[in-house]
């Protein structure tokens, strides 16, 4: 095999960059919609962001807040239990 790059080949770094860009888009849109009071839109964007980076604690925290405000208490509890297990010394949770 040659060490020269194969153009058109799949590069995992390209996928990671695309995921990060998509995550940031959904995370930012979700935050903006939350600030505007659009809880349903914020939920949709933040759930899309979590699909891309499921362990992102800031996104999980916002999503937990949205679930709480939408009175989806079981989902909110699930999110916050996970966060508390991962960050037991974080008092804000």
């Amino acid at each position: 095999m040659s060490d020269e790059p194969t153009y058109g080949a799949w590069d995992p770094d390209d996928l990671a960059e695309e995921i990060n860009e998509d995550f940031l888009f959904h995370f930012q849109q979700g935050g903006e919609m939350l600030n505007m009071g659009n809880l349903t839109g914020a939920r949709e964007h933040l759930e899309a962001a979590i699909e891309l980076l499921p362990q992102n604690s800031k996104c999980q925290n916002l999503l937990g807040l949205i679930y709480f405000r939408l009175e989806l208490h079981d989902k909110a509890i699930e999110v916050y239990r996970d966060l508390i297990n991962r960050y037991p010394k974080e008092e804000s949770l």
Side-chain angles (χ1 to χ4, degrees):
M1 284 188 99
S2 165
D3 287 336
E4 291 186 34
T6 304
Y7 297 99
W10 179 72
D11 182 354
D13 290 336
D14 289 344
L15 182 59
E17 184 176 316
E18 184 178 316
I19 288 173
N20 286 334
E21 288 177 11
D22 289 347
F23 170 81
L24 288 174
F25 170 78
H26 288 296
F27 183 72
Q28 290 171 342
Q29 289 295 310
E32 286 181 26
M33 290 190 171
L34 176 61
N35 286 335
M36 294 185 316
N38 181 349
L39 296 178
T40 303
R43 175 186 175 185
E44 290 172 4
H45 278 287
L46 292 174
E47 285 178 338
I50 285 291
E51 286 290 318
L52 297 167
L53 292 175
Q55 295 301 314
N56 186 283
S57 60
K58 290 181 181 180
C59 189
Q60 286 180 328
N61 191 25
L62 283 180
L63 191 55
L65 174 65
I66 290 168
Y67 287 154
F68 179 78
R69 289 187 180 175
L70 289 171
E71 298 183 8
L72 300 170
H73 298 123
D74 290 341
K75 286 187 172 209
I77 289 169
E78 182 180 327
V79 168
Y80 283 109
R81 279 193 178 143
D82 177 58
L83 286 170
I84 290 168
N85 286 333
R86 288 191 296 144
Y87 306 101
K89 293 183 181 184
E90 180 59 49
E91 294 177 6
S92 66
L93 297 173

